[in-house]
Amino acid sequence: MSWSTILYEKIDGNIARIVLNRPETHNAQDYLLIEEMDEAMKQAEEDPEVKVIILAGAGPSFSSGHDMSGRGKPSPQRPELSQLPGLEGSLAREQYIYIDKCLVIRNLTKPTIAQVQGHCLAAGWMVAAMCDIIVASEDADFGDPVLRMTPAAVEILFHPWEVGARKAKELLWTGDRITAMEAWRLGAVNKVVPREKLEEETLRIARKIALTPNVTVSLTKRSINRTLDIMGQADAWDYHMLIHQMSHHTEQARAYREERRKAMERGGLREFLKMRDEAYSKA
Ligand code: ZN
């Protein structure tokens, strides 16, 4: 299969590398990219030769999050979802495109490694967090500035599981970013390597995992993920989905969307990001 926003390669015959390929947007995720990433993940899962899946991003960044400029575009596969109004609409759309597509990655039977450079923000971090292992380069930064725009974080509340509850609150409430080294110190990243070693080091880990009996790897993944579920991860994520939806429909959210629309009209995405971030950068 070939896709327009995803590259798919096989390495050594048993490692699949899925590359997000909208480098000019820092791999901003629109509906098309998410649907194509989903198809590529399923292809790797179903290919009996593939033992390990690497998820990488082409260009300067892994992913800067959801595509803020292409939000009006309907999903190529489920265009009818964009017609649904109000809470019903946002529930159905976000369940389909954000929650379900992320959980597919989280629940693949095969091991996954996110290979992260540059920006790994908001939904970029959400997707990376769905992978079993994260290898980051020294230049990577992680953050979720979504609260600045009124939603209660991204759709899956991965943050407390990645950096702990206390740090999660700070990062979400300030919109601050952390460096790859700080993410590593917090346990949110497995390894930090120089940028020029990122691909090689990720492959090295993938090759070692590919040597381990794959049924055992898969069973262990299932058991560790089940441990997280018993700790409440699945229930907490379910709860957050409702909280997140509620946050889309507050008066503050409606007023902010209006301000954003005006800023985009004035000067596009750049103007909107200025409106969103300027006061924080001076604080
Ligand atoms: Zn949302």
Side-chain angles (χ1 to χ4, degrees), residues 4 6 13 35 45 77 124 145 149 219 234 255 257:
S4 63
I6 295 286
E35 286 177 341
E45 174 83 347
Q77 288 184 16
M149 302 177 276
L219 287 172
R257 276 197 292 274

Side-chain angles (χ1 to χ4, degrees), residues 94 98 155 244-245 248:
E94 299 201 341
Y98 302 145
E155 288 75 14
H244 178 87
Q245 291 308 320
H248 275 317

